[in-house]
Every structure is written in structure tokens, then in C-alpha cells.
């Protein structure tokens, strides 16, 4: 039986006020919401500026991972689903590990109807697989 070899992905890491951005070499931007933080429009715009500068106008696949007791404001949920907010987006995957996060994420999908492909996952590996299937 052959051992499965995993390729190590190169990552550029940036820490902002309430979030951590990890730019992966496979085109995925892994965004972690820090523990006990509420992400708002100001945080979003700070992240977009980082993406614009780091990605040089390129579109990415986004892997969102909220940490324990993190959330986003209702204003940001509404804005994040719009065309204007998705200038650098190919697709979004949201990884949840709590029932409350899953309820909020599913509400976001059904009520705000994001303009880009968006899905909710209980498993990071499955989310990455789904994102890479959207890579152009």
C-alpha cells in the first residue's frame, strides 16, 4: 500500500484587527474571524484593500472560517452578497462548526442570495475541494 503524500501549500499570512488572511498559492484566500469578534463593514473594507493590494486586481476563491463566538453584522451580511462587494470573488465557502453559525450562514444564503457561488460546509477539506472546482 502506497503512502499518500500531501503537498504543502505556500501561504502568505496577514493579521488585521479582527481577521486573519491567509493567501494560499492555489488561489484560495482563507479568512479566519478571530475568537469573540463581530466583523463589520469597516473590517470588510480593510480586508478588501488588503486583497486589492496583495492580489493586484485578481479574483480569488474565499474560504471563510469563523472562530468561536465570532459573527458578522447584519449590515455586512447584506453588503457582502452584492455585486459591489464581490469585485475580487470567484466563489465563497463558509466552514461552520457550531449550530448557531450554520443557522446564520444558511439564513445568509436564503435571505441575501449572494451573487457569486456560495456554500456552507461542516468540513474544511470538503470546502476546499468545492472551491477548487470553481477555479477558472
Amino acid at each position: 500500500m502506497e503512502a499518500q503524500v500531501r503537498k504543502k501549500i505556500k501561504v502568505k499570512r496577514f493579521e488585521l484587527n479582527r481577521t486573519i488572511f491567509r493567501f494560499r498559492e492555489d488561489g484560495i484566500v482563507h479568512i479566519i474571524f478571530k475568537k469573540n469578534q463581530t466583523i463589520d463593514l469597516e473590517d470588510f473594507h480593510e480586508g478588501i484593500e488588503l486583497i486589492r493590494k496583495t492580489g493586484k486586481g485578481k479574483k480569488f476563491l474565499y474560504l471563510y472560517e469563523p472562530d468561536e463566538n465570532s459573527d458578522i453584522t447584519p449590515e455586512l451580511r447584506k453588503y457582502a452578497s452584492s455585486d459591489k462587494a464581490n469585485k475580487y470573488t470567484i466563489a465563497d465557502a463558509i466552514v461552520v462548526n457550531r449550530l448557531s453559525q450554520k443557522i446564520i450562514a444558511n439564513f445568509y444564503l436564503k435571505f441575501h442570495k449572494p451573487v457569486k457561488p456560495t456554500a456552507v460546509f461542516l468540513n474544511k477539506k470538503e470546502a476546499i475541494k468545492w472551491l477548487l472546482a470553481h477555479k477558472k
Side-chain angles (χ1 to χ4, degrees), residues 9 12 14 22 28 42 60 75 89 97 104 107 110 119 125 136:
I9 302 283
K12 286 184 184 175
F14 299 88
R22 299 176 70 235
I28 293 175
E42 184 178 323
F60 292 97
E75 295 80 19
T89 306
N97 54 28
I104 290 168
F107 174 80
K110 289 177 183 160
K125 186 177 178 180
K136 294 179 181 181

Side-chain angles (χ1 to χ4, degrees), residues 65-68 95-102 121-122:
E65 189 173 7
D67 203 336
E68 187 178 324
V95 178
V96 297
N97 54 28
R98 293 187 133 63
L99 179 59
S100 60
Q101 292 171 337
K102 186 175 182 181
F121 297 88
L122 299 172

Side-chain angles (χ1 to χ4, degrees), residues 24-79:
R24 298 165 38 122
E25 69 180 343
D26 59 3
I28 293 175
V29 178
H30 183 191
I31 302 170
I32 301 162
F33 299 165
K34 293 180 183 177
K35 186 176 180 176
N36 300 318
Q37 297 296 315
T38 298
I39 313 304
D40 61 19
L41 281 169
E42 184 178 323
D43 298 309
F44 179 83
H45 290 300
E46 182 182 33
I48 288 296
E49 185 61 19
L50 174 66
I51 289 163
R52 186 186 67 74
K53 286 180 179 176
T54 305
K56 299 179 175 102
K58 200 170 112 178
K59 290 187 177 196
F60 292 97
L61 303 159
Y62 293 96
L63 175 63
Y64 292 96
E65 189 173 7
D67 203 336
E68 187 178 324
N69 297 320
S70 61
D71 195 6
I72 65 173
T73 64
E75 295 80 19
L76 179 52
R77 278 194 285 274
K78 182 178 179 182
Y79 183 76

